[in-house]
Amino acid sequence: MSHLMILGGSSPVGIECIKIALEKNFKVTLIGRNKPSIKNKNFFFKKIDFLKINNWKKIFTEINQKSLVTHLLFLQRSREKNNIFLKEFKISILPVFEIIKEFYKFNLKTKNKNNKSILIFTSPIVDKAALEQSLSYHISKAILNQIIKYFSVYLGKIFCNINGLAPDIIYKERAKNYFKKNSKLKKLINKIIPLKKMATVKEIAKITVSIIDPKFYYLNGQIINLDGGLNSHTNSSIVRFSSNFIKDEIDFKNLKI
């Protein structure tokens, strides 16, 4: 049985990924702070505070010895509001590097020739600036992208591929009230996205679990944007789309830049 080890999967997308993976007969081990209410004999949980862990080798060895890890999925991200890079590094980057390194060393040693895969959630903003995110967030995502490129060259030795998924705007149930109060924003987003809708949590989760399937083994070293085609727009076209919605709501006469 394939064993999927997930870091930080207590988010809505993560929980949906766990459910879909279990339906596909994966054994799933989740590492994080919060245990989701999932009852399944093939689901395991290890409670960890990412900021307090200094020995990821020990964590990986413990889980791997109980059941051979064949797939890795990294969903964790820092929720720190302050621009503190050290915390961002300990949460978003260090676990990824350390666990992949141990995964590589173990499989190289055992000469396991079965196909394996690693998937990292990153961001489509790496070469852009998103003012709602901190500088440390931008830097961490750029590092994760480079980790994907770097290991895509080396992991072939252990019959493993590695890719990144960069979801953009996802509609989550917990944001339902926000979009209800900001209906014009929801309408604008759906108008700008070429597919005319935000992605749902389930859609992102289905794509995520599908990509770790062996049939996608030859997909390697890629950062895949999941944005419904939003990134295909030019900046000017987005401005034109937006102008129709904001022209009556902004006092341009008194606007100071």
Side-chain angles (χ1 to χ4, degrees):
M1 178 181 286
S2 297
H3 182 187
L4 173 62
M5 178 176 166
I6 304 177
L7 272 75
S10 57
S11 66
V13 172
I15 293 171
E16 200 61 44
C17 283
I18 293 168
K19 292 177 180 178
I20 293 171
L22 290 170
E23 288 173 2
K24 291 180 176 290
N25 295 319
F26 278 84
K27 184 176 288 187
V28 180
T29 297
L30 170 63
I31 296 176
R33 288 190 299 179
N34 302 307
K35 183 180 180 180
S37 56
I38 295 175
K39 294 182 180 180
N40 188 296
K41 66 178 182 178
N42 290 320
F43 174 66
F44 307 93
F45 175 75
K46 186 173 182 63
K47 184 179 177 66
I48 281 180
D49 184 340
F50 284 67
L51 289 174
K52 295 180 180 178
I53 294 298
N54 294 313
N55 192 343
W56 284 102
K57 178 180 179 180
K58 182 179 178 181
I59 299 295
F60 175 76
T61 302
E62 176 188 329
I63 292 171
N64 198 58
Q65 285 178 342
K66 288 181 180 179
S67 177
L68 185 66
V69 176
T70 56
H71 301 78
L72 296 171
L73 174 58
F74 296 97
L75 294 167
Q76 83 282 8
R77 59 160 292 186
S78 174
R79 300 294 176 183
E80 294 291 326
K81 293 183 179 180
N82 297 322
N83 193 17
I84 303 173
F85 181 71
L86 183 59
K87 288 185 177 181
E88 184 80 48
F89 178 82
K90 288 200 72 173
I91 294 173
S92 300
I93 302 168
L94 188 61
V96 176
F97 180 77
E98 291 296 329
I99 288 178
I100 291 178
K101 185 174 67 174
E102 294 307 318
F103 182 77
Y104 174 79
K105 285 162 61 177
F106 176 84
N107 282 283
L108 194 65
K109 183 178 179 180
T110 58
K111 298 181 180 179
N112 178 8
K113 292 186 178 181
N114 293 326
N115 290 353
K116 297 163 282 288
S117 64
I118 299 172
L119 197 58
I120 299 174
F121 262 50
T122 179
S123 171
I125 69 168
V126 170
D127 59 346
K128 299 168 183 157
L131 297 182
E132 69 273 16
Q133 300 290 357
S134 66
L135 176 60
S136 60
Y137 174 87
H138 285 71
I139 293 172
S140 71
K141 295 305 180 183
I143 293 173
L144 287 178
N145 280 14
Q146 196 57 40
I147 285 175
I148 291 166
K149 296 297 182 182
Y150 179 84
F151 277 109
S152 68
V153 176
Y154 287 93
L155 292 175
K157 297 177 184 177
I158 61 167
F159 304 92
C160 179
N161 63 338
I162 179 170
N163 295 287
L165 277 185
D168 204 328
I169 306 171
I170 305 175
Y171 181 82
K172 302 170 184 174
E173 275 300 309
R174 64 188 183 191
K176 186 176 182 178
N177 289 334
Y178 171 80
F179 282 114
K180 191 174 182 179
K181 292 178 182 178
N182 298 274
S183 58
K184 283 197 172 184
L185 175 60
K186 183 180 179 181
K187 188 176 180 181
L188 171 60
I189 292 171
N190 288 337
K191 186 176 181 64
I192 291 175
I193 295 173
L195 291 181
K196 304 304 176 188
K197 65 182 289 293
M198 289 181 274
T200 64
V201 167
K202 195 162 190 174
E203 285 171 332
I204 298 298
K206 281 183 176 180
I207 294 171
T208 301
V209 178
S210 293
I211 287 178
I212 63 175
D213 190 284
K215 65 186 176 185
F216 286 103
Y217 172 68
Y218 211 69
L219 184 69
N220 189 32
Q222 303 304 308
I223 315 296
I224 304 166
N225 283 347
L226 297 179
D227 61 4
L230 181 61
N231 196 52
S232 299
H233 275 303
T234 63
N235 293 336
S236 59
S237 69
I238 290 178
V239 170
R240 283 197 295 273
F241 269 123
S242 304
S243 65
N244 293 327
F245 283 82
I246 66 173
K247 64 182 179 181
D248 297 325
E249 298 180 22
I250 295 181
D251 182 4
F252 286 104
K253 291 181 180 178
N254 297 312
L255 183 64
K256 295 181 181 179
I257 300 176

